[in-house]
Amino acid sequence: MASWNRLSRPAFNVLSCSLRAGQAEAGSVKCLSTTPARCDAQLMDGKKVAKEIRSEVKGEVGKYVGAGKRAPKMAVVLVGDDGASATYVKAKTKACKEVGILDETIRRPSSITQTELLDLLKDLNARPDVDGILCQLPVPEGMNERAVCDIIDPSKDVDGFSSANMGLFAIGQKSFIPATPAGVMELLRRYNVETFGKVCTIAGRSKNVGFPLANLLHSDGRHTPGAGDATVLHCHRYTEARDLEACCRMSDIIIVATGVVGLIRGDMIKEGATVIDIGLTRLVGDDGKAKIVGDVQFDEAVKVAGLITPVPGGVGPMTVAMLCKNTLEAYQARADTH
């Protein structure tokens, strides 16, 4: 059996291509290429769509504040000194400020006990001025991540990671959807990608990305708002390489979230398919320069796909924008906003 982590990795120049000048609007054909030849793939510009969503959220927040209501507020708890987590939190708080959502970042050392962290989250649950709460993951080793996620009031769980929200979501009831899957679905909608009756391969089964995406895409739209009604083929680390390839080649939509650099090659993609790359890996080349790459061999895929997300600049900005949207919805559900 060939598992993903034993597949050959691509050379470092997976993403040596760059954006051409003049790529502007979602819905217009955009081209990425390492040669002068023009490619056919349309770039799914997550930065632009995320900006549109933030503008929409800002407009809604402005209506409440203009009517004399308090502004929404999101509290972020950051434990330890993980650099990546600090970067994510900074991006989230910056987006909040842009749309008019108040933010409060609470930092605690990695020496904090689980009991102390749970007590802190309980206090945030009880605060009437806080509408959304997120505890940046991962938590320090030795803590029970599930206990941390589940202590957050489901009505303030804007990350959508609590068992309560995941359970409601799984049975098609109103809940907070994790921001990355919500961002992917929003990209598909805004680029008019048909999902009804289409075949979709999802590579990756994490509880916060792959699993909820599979649920969203296969669910019955008659009962679940925003559901995809697609035929979903769900692959994971124990899917044999030949089966992953077969699934991808028959798929209208391919979504990858594995952290395996270059897992999806161009010859695995059906011509004209939509390719969503959620992977995000930092590589350092022989010249010492770092680049962010995804799970798709972009220089190959862009010549075959009909629509494709870049890395970075595709799904990442959407995740932050949808978190703002979730916070607005949490705020709107509270009685003192009306």
Side-chain angles (χ1 to χ4, degrees):
M1 178 180 292
S3 63
W4 291 349
N5 58 0
R6 292 195 292 272
L7 294 175
S8 59
R9 301 285 179 102
F12 176 64
N13 63 0
V14 167
L15 282 183
S16 58
C17 49
S18 61
L19 286 174
R20 287 185 178 176
Q23 296 170 346
E25 299 181 352
S28 64
V29 174
K30 300 173 185 172
C31 189
L32 285 168
S33 179
T34 56
T35 71
R38 185 175 178 81
C39 60
D40 295 326
Q42 182 180 350
L43 185 68
M44 302 179 80
D45 191 342
K47 287 184 178 179
K48 182 179 186 300
V49 176
K51 185 176 180 180
E52 292 172 355
I53 293 169
R54 293 196 305 271
S55 178
E56 292 163 6
V57 172
K58 183 177 181 178
E60 288 297 308
V61 171
K63 291 177 183 177
Y64 286 102
V65 175
K69 304 293 185 181
R70 65 175 180 82
K73 186 170 188 176
M74 179 175 69
V76 182
V77 178
L78 177 60
V79 181
D81 54 4
D82 180 76
S85 292
T87 299
Y88 295 147
V89 167
K90 184 178 179 180
K92 292 169 182 176
T93 55
K94 179 181 177 182
C96 282
K97 288 183 173 68
E98 179 185 336
V99 302
I101 293 175
L102 303 176
D103 68 278
E104 179 179 347
T105 300
I106 303 168
R107 296 176 179 268
R108 291 293 184 269
S110 55
S111 58
I112 189 174
T113 66
Q114 179 169 310
T115 298
E116 289 171 333
L117 178 57
L118 295 181
D119 286 343
L120 169 60
L121 294 170
K122 287 179 185 177
D123 289 342
L124 292 173
N125 286 341
R127 282 177 51 180
D129 65 317
V130 173
D131 303 290
I133 303 170
L134 67 88
C135 184
Q136 183 65 42
L137 302 180
V139 292
E141 187 176 351
M143 283 195 186
N144 185 327
E145 185 177 290
R146 177 48 44 203
V148 171
C149 291
D150 285 350
I151 201 68
I152 297 174
D153 181 341
S155 70
K156 297 186 178 186
D157 173 31
V158 291
D159 255 340
F161 291 168
S162 68
S163 296
N165 271 316
M166 286 189 165
L168 289 168
F169 165 68
I171 59 172
Q173 300 299 303
K174 184 173 177 56
S175 63
F176 287 115
I177 298 173
T180 297
V184 169
M185 295 300 290
E186 194 67 21
L187 265 181
L188 292 172
R189 279 192 288 270
R190 297 202 183 209
Y191 275 88
N192 299 313
V193 177
E194 181 61 77
T195 59
F196 187 91
K198 300 298 182 180
V199 178
C200 175
T201 287
I202 297 176
R205 59 178 178 181
S206 70
K207 62 184 179 297
N208 298 332
V209 180
F211 167 72
L213 264 173
N215 204 355
L216 277 168
L217 280 160
H218 93 267
S219 292
D220 189 339
R222 296 175 301 172
H223 309 299
T224 304
D229 283 295
T231 298
V232 174
L233 308 174
H234 205 168
C235 303
H236 49 77
R237 69 174 66 249
Y238 300 118
T239 302
E240 292 198 28
R242 65 173 183 270
D243 295 329
L244 173 63
E245 293 172 2
C247 289
C248 287
R249 288 181 182 130
M250 67 182 295
S251 293
D252 305 293
I253 302 168
I254 299 173
I255 302 175
V256 202
T258 66
V260 179
V261 176
L263 176 67
I264 305 300
R265 307 183 307 272
D267 64 359
M268 296 167 63
I269 299 170
K270 177 181 175 181
E271 185 172 355
T274 296
V275 179
I276 307 286
D277 189 352
I278 305 175
L280 198 68
T281 301
R282 184 177 183 270
L283 296 181
V284 179
D286 294 336
D287 59 0
K289 294 181 179 180
K291 288 188 178 182
I292 303 297
V293 300
D295 296 351
V296 175
Q297 294 194 26
F298 190 90
D299 54 344
E300 295 181 6
V302 75
K303 300 172 186 176
V304 185
L307 287 163
I308 190 167
T309 58
V311 176
V315 176
M318 294 295 297
T319 298
V320 177
M322 297 309 289
L323 182 63
C324 291
K325 189 173 182 179
N326 278 354
T327 303
L328 172 62
E329 291 180 0
Y331 168 79
Q332 290 172 324
R334 297 171 66 80
D336 62 352
T337 65
H338 300 293

